[in-house]
Amino acid sequence: MLTLAIETSCDETAAAVVDGLSAVRGAMIATSRDAFAQSGGVIPEDAARRQLESILPVVHGALKQAGITKDDLDAVAVTRGPGLLGSLLVGTTCARTLAWLWGKPLIGVHHILGHLTSPWLGADTPPQFPLLTLTVSGGHTELWLRESHTRGQLLGRSRDDAAGEAFDKGAALLGLPYPGGPSIAKAAESGDAAAIHFPLPLQKDDTLDFSFSGLKTALRYALRDAPETDTNDLAASYQEAICRHLTDRAAKAMARCPQAHELHLVGGVAANTRLRAMLSEHCQGITVRAPALKFCTDNAAMIGAAANAMLEELGEKAFAEFSTEAALPLSAAMSS
Ligand code: KG4
Ligand code: ZN
């Protein structure tokens, strides 16, 4: 199954040719992230205008890299939401048009299903269901127990900010550039993670939910009350607190779901090396898997793999009509 996938949910313009669930034949990505480094975040209209310019060169680049033409393709897939509406429309309009012109079936993919499928990309041994997935991105922090690609149960989610948002907002408070995750991770390399103690959130509740807003407030107070503290020490301590909270929930989910064979870490924040190390250390007795770094942050290969997984499990239903939705709910990613 050779699928051309397009992903434009945030500030990236990505296209990939994926064979099955694991083989990436070609992938290209254009990002306007550097343009937003100083603005503290993405300016949606600006991002969409840039995507409009790069979408066709990126699609052609991916096909060329794969060494194929449109005739070799079995399907076209595209992220249908959630994300920035203008950006999503650039991707879905392009994919719809290409699928129609080329006479190929079109598959609309939930962005989160893409992240959930990313550990299959390039994997030597395919993951085994049932498994736990911790999704940590700029807009999502969730724990799933999954029976298959398209069936599963949401065990917990953030009650306020997402993990990536906690990094991004923390970086803004510390005066570090957007996106905050890589900036904080870099500053943390030369900081002392034990310099400041941050409380572990939601310790009293018997829940697998997350909460990051308290950590952000604690960082604000630390900056107010001890402004002389080294920025690298603050970054390292704050990163440590976010990672401890995520690891604590993952370990709790593991204890609750002994039937799970694997624990997956996906989404932009999965690129964080401290988080990867902490999870592997504290979640022994289960296979911990995270995709290669290039498949953690938004990319089109994960959308292609998810489309192929949908086809495998849903058959013709994968080709169902779909709308482009900025606020596509999580329930559209997976059935229980
Ligand atoms: O999955 P993603 O690329 O986009 C969304 O779907 O949101 O995730 C972006 C998020 C941003 O909040 C960014 O700060 C965070 O991932 N991020 C990281 C790292 N690289 C990206 N967070 C922590 N450490 C990193 N190395
Ligand atoms: Zn994402």
Side-chain angles (χ1 to χ4, degrees):
M1 190 70 202
L2 210 52
T3 298
L4 167 72
I6 294 176
E7 145 71 39
T8 59
S9 66
C10 189
D11 57 357
E12 70 293 328
T13 312
V17 176
V18 184
D19 191 356
L21 298 188
S22 146
V24 184
R25 299 269 185 249
M28 262 199 92
I29 184 158
T31 172
S32 53
R33 201 150 271 188
D34 290 349
F36 302 119
Q38 297 312 321
S39 61
V42 178
I43 301 164
E45 291 78 5
D46 202 1
R49 263 192 292 274
R50 289 165 192 265
Q51 282 162 321
L52 201 52
E53 282 172 23
S54 45
I55 186 85
L56 285 175
V58 164
V59 165
H60 287 302
L63 288 173
K64 195 169 169 207
Q65 218 184 72
I68 62 162
T69 71
K70 60 178 174 42
D71 300 331
D72 302 310
L73 290 171
D74 295 301
V76 176
V78 65
T79 304
R80 57 175 290 227
L84 303 173
L85 187 59
S87 296
L88 288 166
L89 282 170
V90 172
T92 51
T93 307
C94 178
R96 270 185 208 288
T97 311
L98 292 178
W100 183 81
L101 284 173
W102 296 347
K104 308 286 175 186
L106 180 66
I107 305 174
V109 180
H110 195 298
H111 180 75
I112 292 302
L113 188 62
H115 280 301
L116 293 173
T117 319
S118 60
W120 272 258
L121 294 168
D124 294 332
T125 50
Q128 297 294 308
F129 290 108
L131 53 84
L132 289 162
T133 305
L134 175 58
T135 312
V136 277
S137 73
H140 288 263
T141 304
E142 284 112 24
L143 255 170
W144 297 89
L145 174 61
R146 298 164 61 211
E147 300 300 328
S148 78
H149 287 287
T150 55
R151 277 187 306 109
Q153 190 192 338
L154 188 62
L155 301 177
R157 63 193 299 180
S158 180
R159 295 181 181 178
D160 39 61
D161 293 345
E165 218 175 340
F167 273 105
D168 295 337
K169 289 180 176 173
L173 287 172
L174 291 168
L176 298 170
Y178 174 85
S183 310
I184 287 187
K186 187 154 185 290
E189 278 170 20
S190 36
D192 175 8
I196 290 148
H197 177 74
F198 287 93
L200 204 54
L202 299 179
Q203 278 313 285
K204 293 195 196 85
D205 306 20
D206 183 30
T207 172
L208 288 171
D209 281 350
F210 303 81
S211 172
F212 293 96
S213 62
L215 293 179
K216 186 186 60 192
T217 306
L219 178 62
R220 186 175 286 126
Y221 287 157
L223 279 162
R224 184 194 65 187
D225 299 338
E228 70 289 352
T229 315
D230 181 56
T231 301
N232 295 341
D233 286 351
L234 279 167
S237 305
Y238 184 65
Q239 170 178 266
E240 195 73 5
I242 294 173
C243 296
R244 274 174 48 224
H245 182 33
L246 291 168
T247 304
D248 173 61
R249 297 292 115 156
K252 205 167 169 186
M254 238 180 87
R256 268 201 209 172
C257 305
Q259 73 273 38
H261 298 297
E262 306 195 3
L263 169 67
H264 290 180
L265 177 66
V266 304
V269 181
N272 190 278
T273 44
R274 180 67 190 120
L275 178 58
R276 285 174 176 243
M278 205 188 273
L279 268 184
S280 302
E281 194 184 318
H282 289 270
C283 299
Q284 286 176 8
I286 195 168
T287 304
V288 179
R289 238 194 246 251
L293 291 184
K294 63 182 172 191
F295 299 134
C296 289
T297 44
D298 290 343
N299 65 88
M302 68 183 194
I303 302 301
N308 291 342
M310 283 168 71
L311 252 177
E312 225 176 80
E313 291 183 5
L314 309 174
E316 296 272 305
K317 280 192 195 147
F319 303 138
E321 259 307 309
F322 63 87
S323 50
T324 304
E325 286 181 46
L328 190 64
L330 269 183
S331 54
M334 185 104 46
S335 58
S336 50

